[in-house]
Amino acid sequence: MKFSVALPTAYEGLGYPIGFVRDAATFTRLAHIAESLGYDGVWANDHLSTPRFLRGAAAGPPSFLEPLVTLAHVAAVTERLRLGTAVLALPLRDPVALAKQVATLDVLSRGRLTVGVGLGAYPEELSAARTELRTARRAELFDEGIEALRRLLDTGGGSYRGTAFHFDDIELAPAPVQRPFPIYVGGHTTRAIDRAARWGQGWIPGWRPLPELHERIAMLRDRLAAAGRNASAVEIAPELSATIARDHEDAVRRYESSRFVRHRRSRDRTGRDLGVMTTSNLVGDRDTILERVASLADAGVAHCAALAFPAETVEELVDQWQLFAQQILTSSRG
């Protein structure tokens, strides 16, 4: 099992307090710590604009840092860590410009980049940032964007003509180090699973109740077989959250009272019980989390990606990373 952690690029006001990220040194420090503790990678999430529901806060607007620029900063001070986006809001991006950024960062990091792509958490971002596409459907923009991105990164360019995106006779040089380039498809819907089976080297859903995740993994394997691809062609890498403590009940209390969970509850329209969220993520003492990791591995999960640890300060976040590494990483890899 691989484990990667989430950098706080666009979590202020959502999972972390406004002002959580003070300066560039926060990211270099976190990257060094993640690498020294043995994590497999660091992942950055994505928002182009402040969501409307976060505006007008007394503390001011949250700082949302662009993920690829942040990962380039981190790449310069690390040697081994994989660098990932979890996930980049693909409909907001021009595929040619994005392919150039991705190829450049892959070359500069010596082939350490993985790009997770998704629809984007908030539909209003599309209508605000790309007014010319207000009438377009995000799902169709996503399909065109990933197809165009795959063509550019894997073949070095060419031409593409879709409904929303088109380009003619593009040459992408330098090419990325990795071919085929590792694109991970975000989302847990049937359509997302179809996209992962067709275009992805990875599938990175958000947390789901464990029985549902098992069902969706089986669905992905069926889709891969139908597409003539091996089951191992797509890494299953759910984006989970985590809180660890030596006392199980203490971990649960800390997790369920965190602003991270409060935010997710406020945005959840499914009416799911809070306890399901707790038991579907890596929350608890060492033994509980190891049992959950074993269950995920039995289902086919290969990577707990972009683990987000609720915290009120960077120091608390580092403490969580350290305890999780000490208690979980070595045991689960043995």
Side-chain angles (χ1 to χ4, degrees):
M1 181 72 72
K2 293 188 286 187
F3 296 90
S4 298
V5 289
L7 293 174
T9 46
Y11 278 120
E12 285 194 1
L14 305 171
Y16 300 132
I18 293 171
F20 189 85
V21 177
R22 298 294 181 183
D23 51 35
T26 298
F27 289 99
T28 53
R29 180 188 175 208
L30 288 175
H32 281 304
I33 290 170
E35 192 162 61
S36 67
L37 289 173
Y39 287 100
D40 293 282
V42 291
W43 296 66
N45 67 327
D46 183 34
H47 289 294
L48 289 187
S49 178
T50 307
R52 292 190 183 96
F53 67 87
L54 286 180
R55 297 185 185 183
S63 294
F64 288 170
L65 284 81
E66 202 285 324
L68 291 172
V69 173
T70 304
L71 292 174
H73 177 68
V74 166
V77 298
T78 55
E79 295 293 330
R80 177 191 57 78
L81 281 177
R82 292 290 304 178
L83 314 166
T85 60
V87 291
L88 204 69
L90 189 57
L92 300 178
R93 309 284 176 150
D94 172 77
V96 176
L98 177 58
K100 189 67 172 180
Q101 291 174 301
V102 167
T104 299
L105 181 48
D106 197 51
V107 169
L108 294 179
S109 66
R110 301 180 303 281
R112 289 189 283 145
L113 182 62
T114 298
V115 172
V117 293
L119 285 175
Y122 307 118
E124 62 265 23
E125 274 192 298
L126 179 63
S127 60
R130 305 202 66 180
T131 56
E132 77 280 11
L133 297 176
R134 279 180 176 173
T135 60
R137 297 181 61 188
R138 288 193 306 159
E140 293 173 358
L141 294 175
F142 186 96
D143 289 343
E144 287 193 11
I146 196 170
E147 188 173 31
L149 195 60
R150 177 61 71 202
R151 180 168 305 177
L152 288 161
L153 294 173
D154 289 349
T155 69
S159 301
Y160 178 83
R161 186 157 297 273
T163 302
F165 301 125
H166 51 268
F167 49 85
D168 294 313
D169 194 24
I170 294 293
E171 183 178 57
L172 189 68
V177 173
Q178 303 172 92
R179 286 193 176 181
F181 187 84
I183 295 176
Y184 283 35
V185 177
H188 63 271
T189 65
T190 300
R191 191 162 183 176
I193 291 170
D194 288 339
R195 293 182 183 118
R198 180 178 178 185
W199 286 306
Q201 273 71 52
W203 177 48
I204 183 166
W207 81 270
R208 308 304 301 163
L210 292 179
E212 180 183 326
L213 181 61
H214 283 230
E215 292 171 2
R216 297 301 167 106
I217 291 171
M219 184 185 299
L220 174 62
R221 287 173 170 161
D222 289 342
R223 300 292 196 276
L224 286 167
R229 300 181 70 191
N230 191 284
S232 63
V234 174
E235 181 179 74
I236 298 168
E239 185 180 0
L240 303 173
S241 51
T243 296
I244 186 169
R246 289 180 171 82
D247 178 75
H248 177 76
E249 296 304 323
D250 180 40
V252 171
R253 282 193 299 270
R254 290 172 60 180
Y255 182 75
E256 293 185 349
S257 65
S258 69
R259 71 177 68 228
F260 193 94
V261 173
R262 294 200 305 271
H263 164 69
R264 288 195 171 180
R265 289 180 69 188
S266 71
R267 305 299 295 177
D268 186 20
R269 300 294 181 264
T270 66
R272 283 179 296 217
D273 175 35
L274 175 62
V276 175
M277 182 174 176
T278 303
T279 58
S280 299
N281 286 283
L282 303 185
V283 179
D285 60 9
R286 174 184 178 275
D287 290 345
T288 300
I289 292 177
L290 286 175
E291 287 176 7
R292 212 157 288 166
V293 169
S295 176
L296 291 168
D298 288 343
V301 172
H303 190 174
C304 293
L307 284 171
F309 291 80
E312 287 296 296
T313 65
V314 172
E315 293 306 321
E316 184 183 356
L317 178 62
V318 170
D319 287 345
Q320 280 287 293
W321 284 11
Q322 290 174 334
L323 185 58
F324 192 93
Q326 292 164 5
Q327 303 256 320
I328 305 301
L329 262 59
T330 302
S331 297
S332 63
R333 289 167 175 169

